[in-house]
Amino acid sequence: MADFCKIAEFSLTGGPFNPHVIINNAAANVIGSLVFGKRFDYDDIDFQNLLQLSQESILLAGTPLAQMYDIFPWLFKCLPGPHNIIFSNYARLIFFLRKEIEKHKRDWDPFNHRDFIDTYIAEIDKRKNDIEAGFNSENLAFCTLDLFEAGTETVTNTLRFALLYMMKYSEVQEKVQDEIERVIGLSRPPCMTDKINMPYTEAVIHETLRVANLIPLNISRMASKDTTVGGYFIPQGTVLNTNLSSVLNDKTEWEKPDMFYPQHFLNEHGHFFKRQAFFPFSAGKRMCLGEQLAHMELFLFFTSLLQRFTISPAPGEQPILEPQGSAILSPKPFKICVTSR
Ligand code: HEM
């Protein structure tokens, strides 16, 4: 709710503002509640730094020089370049997380697990004689970082893309708002049970995930043993990238792959249906473990925002849909105006 109060302040002034920090804070606090068992205040300097370090590292990781480091680490190790900033940012992030983990260890209660960190500490305790299991404080710090980063930037940037598309296609925004009014009304907050009655909104969120194409070449993985896929031999140690973008834009799968077209997810009766080629979360054993959480967050944030506000571009500006980045895509910075409904 604090998030919407902040936006409401802007609606009173009417002036354009960049919604990035507010959305980022809100998304970070959802995963933060699960991992650390608490929300962080929007004015908490340590928390703001943490978010900025994470954002900067993701943007830098997409630069050509950082990608060269990934290919020739032995060569670039001694050279200046963005990889050094990325390493120093992650060192600071891990330092912050270790402090949180130490705090958790101090007041850990075996009968009351408050969050992910507590539950992991219990696992370390249970398996202290089984070194091979890999449950240790070092792994806890890196798993916490993985969850926090993967769960924050993805949802933030999808919501930012959703705002851009709503500004660009105001008729779609109106249709979502009509559905919100019909199903939820304007007085009570949306809840997950509303989703089933809101096929158009669901279609808009899915289409946003498709066109946003956040991780076009997926996360790099490494073959842990020799294997054969589709007749191709892949030796152990090969780095693999699956091209999610090719599926999300496949001309044989989508009627209008290059357009924002929520009807991709609606049948002739206006009912929502999931498409086989919808793979923004990847597939298989290593697919995104946060998909369900992401869907919940996107639905609740998106409907809550459009229930309370109408979003429009800053005067004289057009929404820029072209993304920035390469490994992970995000919208370029933009401003919005909000009007209370
Ligand atoms: C719009 C939202 C999201 C998108 C598009 C997305 C997409 C992805 C993709 C494509 C992968 C790589 C899968 C693979 O390698 O095949 C991934 C991995 C992962 N995601 Fe997400 N994700 C989203 C939200 C979340 C959230 C909210 C969480 C929080 C729990 C999360 C946690 C993770 C983790 C921990 C991994 C690594 C899994 C592993 O290595 O086994 N993601 N995600």
Side-chain angles (χ1 to χ4, degrees), residues 31 146-147 150-151 154-155 158 209 214-215 218-219 221 244 280-283 286-290 293-294 297-298:
I31 190 74
D146 263 2
L147 282 171
T154 47
V155 171
T158 309
L209 280 160
L214 283 193
I215 316 180
N218 209 350
I219 295 176
R221 302 289 188 188
L244 297 182
F281 298 95
S282 186
R286 306 300 303 191
M287 73 176 288
C288 175
L289 62 78
L293 176 65
E297 287 186 57
L298 292 173

Side-chain angles (χ1 to χ4, degrees), residues 302-315:
F302 185 65
T303 49
S304 301
L305 274 170
L306 292 193
Q307 182 190 43
R308 290 173 172 78
F309 310 106
T310 297
I311 318 287
S312 53

Side-chain angles (χ1 to χ4, degrees), residues 292-331:
Q292 300 310 322
L293 176 65
H295 278 301
M296 290 169 82
E297 287 186 57
L298 292 173
F299 178 78
L300 293 175
F301 278 131
F302 185 65
T303 49
S304 301
L305 274 170
L306 292 193
Q307 182 190 43
R308 290 173 172 78
F309 310 106
T310 297
I311 318 287
S312 53
E317 284 182 18
Q318 286 299 317
I320 298 170
L321 303 174
E322 285 73 40
Q324 62 180 356
S326 58
I328 297 187
L329 303 183
S330 59

Side-chain angles (χ1 to χ4, degrees), residues 67 69-73 217-225 227 233-243:
Q67 289 179 346
Y69 172 88
D70 278 344
I71 302 170
F72 306 111
L217 291 179
N218 209 350
I219 295 176
S220 301
R221 302 289 188 188
M222 188 179 276
S224 55
K225 55 179 188 206
T227 187
F233 175 65
I234 300 172
Q236 178 181 3
T238 308
V239 175
L240 297 158
N241 280 89
T242 41
N243 189 341

Side-chain angles (χ1 to χ4, degrees), residues 19-32:
H20 192 160
V21 172
I22 299 176
I23 293 178
N24 201 224
N25 273 280
N29 267 329
V30 173
I31 190 74

